[in-house]
Amino acid sequence: MNKLRKQLFAVFCLISIPWVSAAEKVEPVDYVNPLTGTLSKFELSTGNNYPVIARPWGMNFWSPQTGKMGDGWLYTYTADKIRGFKQTHQPSPWMNDYGQFSIMPITGKITFDEDKRASWFSHKAEVAKPYYYKVYLADHDITTEITPTSRAAMFRITFPESTNSYIIVDAFDKGSFVKIIPDENKIIGYTTRNSGGVPENFKNYFVIKFDKAFTYKAVVDDNEILKGETEVSTNHAGAVIGFQTRRGEKIHAKVASSFISYEQAEQNLKELGSDTFDELTDKGRDEWNQVLSKIEVEDDNLDHLRTFYSCLYRSVQFPRTFYEINAQGEVVHYSPFTGEVLPGYMFTDTGFWDTFRCLFPFLNLVYPSINEKIQAGLVNAYNESGFLPEWGSPGHRNIMIGQNSASVVADAFVKGLKGYDIEQLWKAVTRGANDHLKETASGRVGYEYYNKLGYVPNNVSVGQNVARTLEYAYNDWSIYQLGKVLGKSANELEQYKKGALNYKNVYNPKYKMMCGKDDKGVFNPQFKPEDWSNEFCEGNSWHWSFCVFHDPQGLIDLMGGKDTFNQMMDSVFIIPSYLGINSRNIIHEMREMQVMDMGQYAHGNQPIQHMPYLYNYSGEPWKTQFWVREIMEKLYNSNPDAYCGDEDNGQTSAWYVFSAMGFYPVSPATDEYVLGAPLFKSVKVNLENGKSILIKSMNNSKDNRYVKSVRLGKKVYSKNYFTHKDLTGGAEIIFEMSSVPNKNRGTNDVDYPYSFSKELEGSK
């Protein structure tokens, strides 16, 4: 029987070989599923994503719209109907959108109402690629296709035979304008709808050109259809144009927008050139492949490949481009701070609280030229507003905590990025450490208390005080590291050097955990480590007690040594996930932790995502290897329920990308990447400097998740980290994997990654 099986297998291989060789080559973009994270809702997030149809870091995204106007959940996988195809700038449902409008083709009776015009659709008649979207609108017998550039897009709409074929342009409410120009087959307009963070003169101007003359025209004034009228400015403006169509007739719409003017929108429309729809689609595919193929993965596990490249796709969307190219070829931008049109770069739609952790370090390693532009944009943001936006969308917003722009700036410069005014950014981060922009999250809330006491007390009406203290301490250290590289004086640096140890001020030795205390130095007597209290941000003490990125050794010393430290980390995965659920009103992050069955480990939110890597600092690196692989296998996939919480603008995706390669930047603004356990047989990172990182994993499998040995180049490598120089100089890394942990490798103090306490010891 075994012999027969072998013969049959041999025959199958012979038959298969010609088919494989003749098959179309699978490229990185083919593994991407833009619908990842769309099986989400207010109560439970599996990403809180929508299908981004765009170019990498594009100014405009396009998405089918299943949610109502103004609903942050603009596309959900469980929805049955599509209301329109929306140009969106939404970074997350919690931030909502700005500068949005939609296009919707219909047949039959004219209606503008978003519920009545909505059409049933099926995922079986839907194609979603990063560069292309197609869906069949069943109620209208229409197929809609979209392919975008950064600031423009082309629609190809296939109609049935009908004398009542229409296209609706919805400029949304809260102040909008449309004008139909029949002689040019064109509609122009603007939308002002936003969710905050904009000047009073904010508008998104759009222009839409069609390749067929209109047989019907009307504008819409707050849902009243005004037949024959061509212009309206009102609360909620829209336009309806009509055609007589043959079955299978295709009508094309060229669309572009600008935050600057109609003239600039026309300029942005030139991105489409004279290309056909198919040519634009091919160019979009090529651009995505160029960006995604910076990392080439070889493996037999198709699910892992799909997850990896879907995560990589999510990692190269934000921060979005917010600059435009004028008729003279100059880089200009509408300032989301002053409302002026100014020269230079601008990027937006990122919250540094999320993305400082590994999204920005990822850009610094793989796409540094992009982050150099982003840093130049931060210079402009500071010059225009006096602060760096901790959460920008598009301007300063009042959400989340920390001054993590300090980390973003420091990590870029420490990693060798250049070409922008770093001295202005030094002024920006030092001002932010000692000031606060009112009614925003920019600067530091409670800086007066922090600078005076070394912590933010829990009785001075500043919420999330423990979390703020921990982040400010790390932010101080980031500023200190940047200042050292810039050659700043010891006197200038002393505040930040001292502040880097302020995490110790909220450490409660009774519990060996971080805990709030009042302005007299008395710890919270009601403290429970599992409580999601107001002293923390979207978490509890189990999540925040390990947020000492820059000084794990200092934290180990506080806890009484490696054994106790490891026991505390082990406890995170053991303590039941339901504990703490009743400590406050439920937020989705609590539910996501509860249902994942990994104890108090809450990978669906950022504060604890680095924690599994801390075993590398405490003599038990095999536990890092176990848990990192467990998280990748259990909490990620390439389906609509792809994540275990909010994806958050590339952060949670970049965690997977880094971890799958075998290392992770625990403390941005060091030059180190801490080792984990690689997922794939082979990974090649094609660096912008022309060199490459080749990572090979021998004997790798689901069971073989432990690192037996590492070679860097031709040498056996015992350290638990790689340096930025190791990688960017070109590296060949070989991991030998095993089903049993090697408890001798990486267990000596000299092999541990950076800790600030060790730096201070060495300087004595």
Side-chain angles (χ1 to χ4, degrees), residues 433-578:
N434 298 283
D435 204 349
H436 172 236
L437 182 61
K438 290 182 179 180
E439 299 181 356
T440 79
S442 301
R444 295 187 184 183
V445 175
Y447 72 93
E448 308 95 330
Y449 300 104
Y450 177 83
N451 288 351
K452 179 181 178 180
L453 301 173
Y455 64 97
V456 181
N458 64 1
N459 64 335
V460 294
S461 300
V462 178
Q464 304 162 318
N465 35 80
V466 176
R468 292 184 195 277
T469 299
L470 293 169
E471 296 210 345
Y472 294 164
Y474 166 69
N475 303 152
D476 279 342
W477 172 85
S478 298
I479 295 170
Y480 174 66
Q481 296 301 312
L482 175 63
K484 285 198 304 177
V485 177
L486 289 173
K488 300 300 179 182
S489 69
N491 185 54
E492 284 182 275
L493 295 179
E494 182 60 28
Q495 171 187 342
Y496 308 107
K497 180 180 181 181
K498 180 181 178 182
L501 297 175
N502 281 342
Y503 67 89
K504 297 182 179 183
N505 295 333
V506 289
Y507 176 79
N508 188 336
K510 178 180 177 180
Y511 297 97
K512 300 186 185 301
M513 302 184 79
M514 303 299 175
C515 174
K517 64 181 180 181
D518 64 22
D519 57 355
K520 300 294 189 292
V522 178
F523 281 110
N524 179 4
Q526 309 300 320
F527 173 75
K528 292 182 180 179
E530 69 272 15
D531 280 0
W532 292 54
S533 76
N534 191 44
E535 295 176 345
F536 300 96
C537 178
E538 296 182 355
N540 62 30
S541 189
W542 284 111
H543 309 144
W544 280 93
S545 287
F546 302 97
C547 287
V548 187
F549 316 99
H550 59 295
D551 196 15
Q553 185 59 54
L555 184 59
I556 290 168
D557 294 341
L558 283 178
M559 289 187 177
K562 298 173 191 174
D563 290 343
T564 304
F565 181 77
N566 289 330
Q567 185 179 14
M568 292 294 289
M569 289 205 295
D570 293 344
S571 299
V572 170
F573 297 102
I574 296 170
I575 294 172
S577 63
Y578 64 81

Side-chain angles (χ1 to χ4, degrees), residues 699-716:
N699 303 316
N700 206 348
S701 68
K702 186 173 182 178
D703 293 329
N704 292 0
R705 63 175 61 184
Y706 296 105
V707 176
K708 182 178 180 181
S709 65
V710 180
R711 298 184 73 89
L712 178 60
K714 296 182 179 180
K715 295 182 180 179
V716 174

Side-chain angles (χ1 to χ4, degrees), residues 105-120:
I106 65 171
T107 55
K109 183 180 178 180
I110 297 173
T111 180
F112 185 76
D113 182 273
E114 66 175 352
D115 292 329
K116 294 177 181 177
R117 77 192 186 211
S119 172
W120 281 81

Side-chain angles (χ1 to χ4, degrees), residues 63-126:
S63 174
Q65 179 189 343
T66 64
K68 287 181 176 289
M69 178 176 62
D71 186 351
W73 283 262
L74 70 91
Y75 177 99
T76 52
Y77 192 78
T78 53
D80 301 312
K81 292 185 177 182
I82 287 175
R83 303 170 189 272
F85 300 93
K86 182 180 177 184
Q87 187 195 98
T88 176
H89 306 94
Q90 179 172 296
S92 83
W94 311 111
M95 303 303 294
N96 214 296
D97 211 342
Y98 62 92
Q100 66 266 46
F101 63 94
S102 71
I103 296 171
M104 180 66 178
I106 65 171
T107 55
K109 183 180 178 180
I110 297 173
T111 180
F112 185 76
D113 182 273
E114 66 175 352
D115 292 329
K116 294 177 181 177
R117 77 192 186 211
S119 172
W120 281 81
F121 80 106
S122 168
H123 297 300
K124 296 178 177 64
E126 178 185 44

Side-chain angles (χ1 to χ4, degrees), residues 72 74 89 122 126 143 150 208 216 256 307 313 321 359 367 406 426 488 495-496 537 575 582 633 695 748 754 759:
L74 70 91
H89 306 94
S122 168
E126 178 185 44
T143 297
S150 179
I208 310 170
Y216 175 94
T307 302
Y313 152 79
T321 294
L359 187 278
Y367 306 102
W426 171 255
K488 300 300 179 182
Q495 171 187 342
Y496 308 107
C537 178
I575 294 172
N582 296 320
E633 293 280 1
I695 305 160
N748 297 318
Y754 170 92
E759 179 184 332

Side-chain angles (χ1 to χ4, degrees), residues 337-338 376-388 421 424 428:
F337 311 107
T338 69
L378 290 178
V379 173
N380 291 328
Y382 174 65
N383 289 340
E384 293 162 29
S385 72
F387 286 84
L388 297 181
D421 192 344
Q424 278 298 93

Side-chain angles (χ1 to χ4, degrees), residues 735-760:
F735 288 87
E736 185 176 356
M737 308 301 291
S738 172
S739 62
V740 295
N742 180 353
K743 296 188 177 182
N744 295 313
R745 191 202 167 277
T747 57
N748 297 318
D749 286 354
V750 294
D751 295 323
Y752 300 164
Y754 170 92
S755 283
F756 184 52
S757 292
K758 291 185 176 181
E759 179 184 332
L760 293 178

